[in-house]
């Protein structure tokens, strides 16, 4: 199986069986983001205990890329310190916005590397980043201290 086909399968698996889907309580912050280009939507809740992301729950409406991306986000950030979750987010964002020129860190991004090909399609980058920008927004609404790499200039 070619690498691109394997990545496509990972995205479809997360789309068909989303991890962490459904809004849960308790939560510290909730945010709703819409991709105005295509109409994809995500409502995302985050729970932070101490300095650790203890839960991310969400509801999505949109394409397989936006829905699968937030499922991968769920897997990658729950249980991590907020600062580390923000580092993962920054790495995912850099890969997605890298126009195919950024080599993803597979050890850090796990299934997130499946979205590397999206970077070659600028119209799809916002789809892949929708849930991640909602996560960043939700965390910023909590009392958690956010130490991030430069993630300004986000498209969503």
């Amino acid at each position: 199986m070619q690498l691109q086909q394997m990545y496509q399968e990972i995205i479809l698996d997360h789309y068909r069986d989303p991890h962490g889907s459904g809004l849960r309580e308790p939560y510290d912050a909730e945010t709703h983001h819409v991709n105005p280009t295509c109409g994809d939507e995500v409502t995302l809740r985050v729970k932070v205990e101490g300095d650790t992301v203890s839960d991310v729950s969400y509801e999505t409406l949109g394409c397989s890329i936006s829905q699968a991306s937030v499922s991968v986000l769920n897997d990658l950030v729950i249980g991590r310190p907020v600062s580390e979750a923000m580092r993962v987010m920054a790495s995912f964002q850099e890969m997605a916005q890298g126009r195919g020129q950024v080599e993803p860190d597979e050890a850090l991004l796990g299934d997130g590397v499946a979205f590397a090909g999206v970077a070659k399609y600028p119209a799809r980058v916002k789809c892949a980043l929708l849930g991640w920008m909602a996560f960043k927004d939700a965390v910023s609404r909590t009392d958690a201290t956010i130490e991030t790499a430069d993630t300004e200039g986000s498209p969503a």
Side-chain angles (χ1 to χ4, degrees):
M1 181 182 280
Q2 290 182 325
L3 188 61
Q4 198 57 35
Q5 286 177 309
M6 186 177 76
Y7 285 170
Q8 192 172 35
E9 243 348 273
I10 290 170
I11 291 171
L12 289 174
D13 286 348
H14 277 277
Y15 170 68
R16 291 180 191 127
D17 183 22
H19 304 174
S21 181
L23 295 174
R24 290 184 292 282
E25 294 188 18
Y27 62 94
D28 295 318
E30 177 180 284
T31 187
H32 181 80
H33 282 217
V34 176
N35 179 348
T37 306
C38 64
D40 289 358
E41 298 182 33
V42 63
T43 299
L44 185 139
R45 292 178 175 172
V46 67
K47 176 73 177 156
V48 178
E49 294 181 39
D51 71 340
T52 301
V53 177
S54 61
D55 192 32
V56 173
S57 63
Y58 59 91
E59 286 184 348
T60 59
L61 177 64
C63 70
S64 60
I65 291 174
S66 67
Q67 292 186 48
S69 181
V70 80
S71 173
V72 168
L73 172 144
N74 179 276
D75 289 351
L76 291 175
V77 301
I78 291 178
R80 291 186 187 243
V82 171
S83 60
E84 192 176 322
M86 289 295 127
R87 193 167 56 88
V88 172
M89 189 209 71
S91 181
F92 186 91
Q93 183 176 357
E94 178 185 30
M95 175 194 68
Q97 293 176 326
R99 300 191 181 269
Q101 304 301 310
V102 174
E103 187 67 32
D105 181 347
E106 191 168 350
L108 184 63
L109 294 178
D111 281 356
V113 300
F115 295 87
V118 170
K120 296 176 184 173
Y121 305 97
R124 305 304 285 181
V125 170
K126 286 184 180 183
C127 299
L129 289 176
L130 182 66
W132 293 87
M133 296 301 100
F135 173 72
K136 179 182 176 183
D137 185 24
V139 170
S140 75
R141 296 169 189 233
T142 71
D143 292 334
T145 302
I146 302 175
E147 299 171 18
T148 65
D150 182 13
T151 56
E152 296 305 312
S154 60

